[in-house]
Amino acid sequence: MPMNSLGKHLQAVQSSLPTSVKLIAVSKTVPSEVLRLAYEAGLRDFAESRVQEALPKQTELADLTDICWHFIGHLQANKARKVIEHFTWIHSVHSLALAQRLDQLAIALERHPQICLQVKLLPDEHKSGWNPDQLRQDLPILETLTQINIQGLMTILPLGLTTEERFQAFQALDTLRRSLSQTSSLALPELSMGMSNDYPEALQAGATMVRLGSLLFGDRDPSPTGQPAKSTT
Ligand SMILES: *Cc1c(COP(=O)(O)O)cnc(C)c1O
């Protein structure tokens, strides 16, 4: 899309969302000059999925001090320190071991990152995440991790579902969130769900944060398989 229409377009998307829902602009593959225009159009929350791509862009935008950076990519243990140092939110915490490591690092680095626990609701070999039963079992240990702020649940749906199946899956995440918060000391107010192709169903099912990339910035180059590369999700 032409650059001069970006601001209008962003405002149109933003105003189509309920005011209680946080719009997170997924800026992977988008150059920092375009992020600057998106910032000028009013966006403040940006999400990246690769540390090595995000850090140079964060440096280029360092003068925009009220940007809130979200990490949404597959998080490898050896990148955990950098992610804590450079991101306020981490949406893709997919295992107990990773949550424990983040908590330890956060203590050492004196940070209090905001965390979402990534849940895999349906089988998907391309995605990581807790299955709901495992998450229930791990909850007592997760409750003891007090340096990280566990704020809610996040999910990415597999491709190829019908509208109704997507709605039901998102509803299942909300049901899980309620049941976990009733049986633990974690309040879990946030539901990070919904991407460009499925955010209407996510909103209907109670999303509090939607992660929109191509809808805001146009299509990314598709990968040869048509699936997002595992390392980016
Ligand atoms: C890329 C990505 C998005 C945004 O996807 P779009 O289809 O471009 O909106 C959202 N969430 C995660 C985890 C992603 O990797």
Side-chain angles (χ1 to χ4, degrees), residues 9-199:
H9 179 67
L10 296 181
Q11 271 160 10
V13 174
Q14 176 89 68
S15 62
S16 75
L17 300 175
T19 50
S20 59
V21 172
K22 191 189 286 289
L23 169 58
I24 301 176
V26 176
S27 52
K28 62 190 182 199
T29 77
V30 179
S32 61
E33 307 83 76
V34 178
L35 297 199
R36 192 173 284 279
L37 297 176
Y39 178 94
E40 284 162 9
L43 297 189
R44 291 296 179 270
D45 290 270
F46 294 94
E48 291 281 335
S49 54
R50 290 168 65 239
V51 175
Q52 59 273 43
E53 180 188 337
L55 297 194
K57 284 154 75 170
Q58 291 182 347
T59 303
E60 285 157 19
L61 299 172
D63 56 310
L64 308 179
T65 51
D66 60 344
I67 289 184
C68 180
W69 291 99
H70 299 250
F71 187 80
I72 59 171
H74 182 74
L75 181 47
Q76 291 147 320
N78 64 353
K79 297 280 168 58
R81 172 182 293 267
K82 281 232 149 61
V83 168
I84 291 199
E85 283 172 342
H86 296 279
F87 293 84
T88 304
W89 278 84
I90 309 173
H91 293 241
S92 44
V93 179
H94 54 72
S95 71
L96 181 61
L98 179 60
Q100 289 173 311
R101 182 176 169 85
L102 291 171
D103 193 61
Q104 288 301 310
L105 284 166
I107 292 169
L109 297 167
E110 299 181 16
R111 301 290 172 103
H112 291 280
Q114 312 297 319
I115 298 288
C116 290
L117 306 174
Q118 185 174 349
V119 177
K120 185 152 71 169
L121 296 162
L122 297 162
D124 185 345
E125 59 178 305
H126 298 282
K127 297 291 181 297
S128 322
W130 265 279
N131 77 48
D133 289 335
Q134 188 64 52
L135 182 52
R136 272 195 199 88
Q137 280 177 34
D138 289 344
L139 205 59
I141 303 177
L142 288 166
E143 281 180 84
T144 68
L145 307 179
T146 53
Q147 188 82 10
I148 57 175
N149 294 320
I150 300 177
Q151 294 282 11
L153 305 181
M154 177 271 214
T155 199
I156 308 169
L157 296 188
L159 299 172
L161 302 180
T162 65
T163 307
E164 183 59 23
E165 287 165 339
R166 295 197 292 250
F167 175 64
Q168 282 171 3
F170 288 138
Q171 255 192 334
L173 194 70
D174 186 42
T175 303
L176 178 65
R177 178 187 72 80
R178 286 165 197 269
S179 114
L180 295 177
S181 71
Q182 277 162 13
T183 53
S184 79
S185 60
L186 299 171
L188 303 177
E190 303 289 347
L191 274 181
S192 169
M193 59 188 195
M195 307 175 27
S196 295
N197 68 333
D198 58 17
Y199 78 98

